[in-house]
Amino acid sequence: HEGFGRHVDRFIGFELGPMFVPYGRIYSLDAYEGLLGIPACTGAKHASLSRALEWDRLALRDRVRPDFRVFTGNDLAID
């Protein structure tokens, strides 16, 4: 992602869980923090159906990079 970010002005990351596609994966919180460290990465969509994982990402964003956008793909609930 960091290499990609050197070749584009900006991009949005995407996490898609294996419940949606067999090759899907959700990043560890450490890996997600790495995305926040890439200036060209302006945000990421998270689709795991886990509200707890979304809240973890929001807390990390608030602490590390408040301008980073966390987009939800949670079809079960948003609050």
Side-chain angles (χ1 to χ4, degrees):
H1 292 87
E2 189 174 7
F4 180 72
R6 286 192 293 268
H7 297 284
V8 298
D9 291 338
R10 62 185 175 270
F11 71 94
I12 295 173
F14 193 93
E15 296 179 281
L16 183 64
M19 69 287 292
F20 296 111
V21 293
Y23 53 84
R25 67 182 177 137
I26 300 299
Y27 298 130
S28 69
L29 205 53
D30 287 339
Y32 196 85
E33 186 169 356
L35 285 177
L36 275 67
I38 302 169
C41 186
T42 60
K45 180 180 178 193
H46 176 84
S48 72
L49 301 179
S50 170
R51 295 166 82 187
L53 291 176
E54 289 181 7
W55 286 116
D56 290 345
R57 279 147 176 74
L58 288 167
L60 177 66
R61 183 271 321 261
D62 291 350
R63 190 175 74 252
V64 174
R65 187 175 160 196
D67 65 318
F68 192 85
R69 310 280 280 181
V70 178
F71 302 100
T72 184
N74 190 338
D75 296 337
L76 300 179
I78 300 173
D79 32 321

